[in-house]
């Protein structure tokens, strides 16, 4: 049984006449009659009773007409939904991002813009550290991710930079350093540091340490490890020490914490939109285009 059998049957069943159904279908009447005969042979019972003029549905045919209409409607709606997905008008887009990039700037702006312009799309968002994002993207668990510091080219992934962030130092409000508007690395020589564990990101850890060393902070006094920026800010608020945070932390710093620039700490943190090169999802292309448009607006 094929869909054309159902379409021919529905047309004859609604018109109660082979000739009118054939006109509606733009087919020759013998061809329509033959399709109905084939269908009756396959299902094993008569769909129509012959009349002097036209036909009428048999009892089984009347029930089959209801089901055939439902099946054709479901098929048409399914095809329409699939077409919308293929055109990037609906479907699901999975995007990961780091928490510290979500408070202000291109990341929340891109989510808002995409939802406004694509209201029928399900946008699945998940907070995830940059290294974990890279692994998840390679495994195909997400369509795209906002990742800090893509350290080296990856043959499987494509990316473009969306923002350039910088580290500043979070200080407890009661600490003497909090009274100074601008700091230098040498001012932090005796400061107790809260630092993320080296195992969390070896490349980033060592690069930050080298940048400190070049500026005169040769051996930061690490008194406590904190896995992420939220933990570090919370520990700074308790007065335990100071911590490197991105300048975006100004928008979510807890009470009892001030954030100060360190003028000679030259360690930029580029934020990139990353995706698999072989991901042909039309929604990914649309999302990437929205991000690029936002960057163009901000640059103009």
């Amino acid at each position: 049984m094929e869909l054309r059998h159902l379409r021919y049957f529905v047309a004859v069943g609604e018109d109660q006449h082979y000739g009118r159904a054939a006109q509606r279908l733009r087919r020759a009447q013998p061809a329509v009659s033959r399709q109905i005969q084939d269908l009756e042979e396959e299902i094993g019972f008569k769909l129509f009773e012959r009349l002097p003029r036209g036909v009428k549905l048999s009892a089984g045919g009347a029930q089959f007409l209801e089901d055939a209409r439902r099946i054709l409607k479901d098929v048409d709606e399914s095809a329409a939904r699939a077409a919308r997905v293929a055109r990037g008008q609906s479907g699901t887009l999975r995007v990961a991002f780091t928490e510290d990039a979500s408070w202000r700037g291109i990341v929340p702006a891109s989510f808002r813009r995409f939802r406004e312009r694509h209201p029928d799309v399900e946008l699945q968002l998940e907070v995830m550290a940059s290294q974990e994002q890279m692994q998840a993207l390679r495994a195909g668990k997400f369509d795209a991710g906002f990742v800090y510091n893509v350290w080296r080219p990856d043959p499987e992934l494509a990316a473009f930079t969306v923002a350039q962030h910088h580290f500043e130092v979070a200080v407890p409000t009661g600490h003497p350093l909090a009274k100074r508007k601008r700091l230098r690395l040498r001012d932090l020589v005796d400061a107790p540091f809260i630092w993320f564990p080296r195992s969390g990101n070896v490349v980033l850890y060592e690069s930050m340490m080298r940048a400190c060393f070049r500026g005169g902070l040769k051996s930061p006094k690490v008194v406590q490890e904190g896995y992420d920026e939220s933990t570090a800010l919370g520990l700074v608020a308790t007065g335990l020490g100071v911590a490197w945070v991105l300048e975006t932390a100004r928008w979510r710093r807890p009470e009892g914490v001030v954030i100060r620039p360190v003028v000679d700490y030259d360690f930029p943190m580029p934020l990139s939109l990353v995706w698999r090169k072989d991901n042909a999802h039309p929604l990914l292309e649309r999302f990437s285009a929205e991000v690029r448009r936002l960057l163009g607006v901000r640059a103009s």
Side-chain angles (χ1 to χ4, degrees):
M1 186 185 303
E2 299 180 13
L3 287 177
R4 72 170 183 274
H5 292 112
L6 297 182
R7 297 192 190 281
Y8 286 20
F9 164 64
V10 168
V12 176
E14 290 177 346
D15 289 332
Q16 304 280 291
H17 195 279
Y18 276 93
R20 289 194 293 270
Q23 289 179 350
R24 194 212 300 193
L25 294 167
R26 298 182 180 179
R27 294 292 185 270
Q29 182 173 331
V32 175
S33 298
R34 187 165 53 252
Q35 293 296 325
I36 299 300
Q37 289 171 4
D38 291 345
L39 181 57
E40 288 176 331
E41 289 178 6
E42 182 170 350
I43 61 180
F45 62 88
K46 289 291 184 181
L47 294 168
F48 298 103
E49 297 177 9
R50 295 281 181 174
L51 299 175
R53 292 187 176 181
V55 294
K56 74 172 184 178
L57 287 162
S58 66
Q63 178 59 55
F64 194 58
L65 179 61
E66 293 182 18
D67 292 338
R69 283 171 169 161
R70 175 180 51 78
I71 291 169
L72 291 175
K73 180 182 178 183
D74 289 345
V75 169
D76 290 342
E77 290 177 351
S78 177
R81 287 193 297 270
R84 288 180 60 80
V85 171
R87 293 193 296 265
Q89 296 173 326
S90 66
T92 300
L93 185 70
R94 305 159 301 167
V95 183
F97 61 97
T98 60
E99 181 187 13
D100 45 16
S102 67
W103 290 88
R104 187 178 176 86
I106 193 67
V107 173
S110 66
F111 295 155
R112 183 180 63 251
R113 174 72 68 88
F114 191 74
R115 291 293 298 119
E116 290 172 351
R117 297 196 174 188
H118 303 84
D120 295 332
V121 171
E122 180 186 2
L123 192 57
Q124 292 183 356
L125 305 176
E126 185 162 340
V127 177
M128 186 176 291
S130 290
Q131 277 197 322
E132 294 172 351
Q133 282 191 57
M134 296 290 279
Q135 295 171 3
L137 286 165
R138 293 189 193 99
K141 295 180 179 179
F142 293 95
D143 296 302
F146 286 99
V147 177
Y148 277 113
N149 251 342
V150 181
W151 294 98
R152 52 180 66 90
D154 189 307
E156 297 182 41
L157 302 176
F160 64 88
T161 301
V162 300
Q164 196 78 256
H165 293 294
H166 299 273
F167 280 106
E168 298 185 347
V169 65
V171 182
T173 52
H175 196 285
L177 294 175
K179 299 177 182 178
R180 305 174 64 171
K181 297 297 182 183
R182 291 158 61 88
L183 299 169
R184 302 185 70 83
L185 282 169
R186 63 172 177 263
D187 299 325
L188 305 176
V189 169
D190 297 321
F193 266 92
I194 299 155
W195 209 292
F196 65 90
R198 183 178 182 275
S199 60
N201 191 325
V202 175
V203 175
L204 177 60
Y205 184 96
E206 294 183 349
S207 298
M208 290 179 68
M209 284 292 187
R210 285 195 296 270
C212 288
F213 186 90
R214 287 194 300 268
L217 180 59
K218 296 186 177 181
S219 182
K221 186 164 57 176
V222 179
V223 298
Q224 179 63 51
E225 290 185 340
Y227 180 75
D228 54 28
E229 191 176 83
S230 296
T231 302
L233 285 168
L235 293 173
V236 172
T238 69
L240 187 60
V242 305
W244 291 116
V245 296
L246 294 175
E247 82 274 12
T248 53
R250 293 178 179 276
W251 305 105
R252 58 150 176 170
R253 63 180 178 82
E255 187 176 353
V257 174
V258 296
I259 297 177
R260 297 288 185 255
V262 179
V263 295
D264 55 347
Y265 190 52
D266 184 20
F267 194 86
M269 281 285 282
L271 179 68
S272 300
L273 181 66
V274 183
W275 66 95
R276 281 186 64 97
K277 291 178 180 178
D278 61 359
N279 188 338
H281 196 328
L283 286 174
L284 172 59
E285 183 178 350
R286 288 185 174 233
F287 183 74
S288 173
E290 292 290 358
V291 173
R292 290 182 186 276
R293 274 193 286 269
L294 276 172
L295 292 174
V297 169
R298 287 166 179 262
S300 62

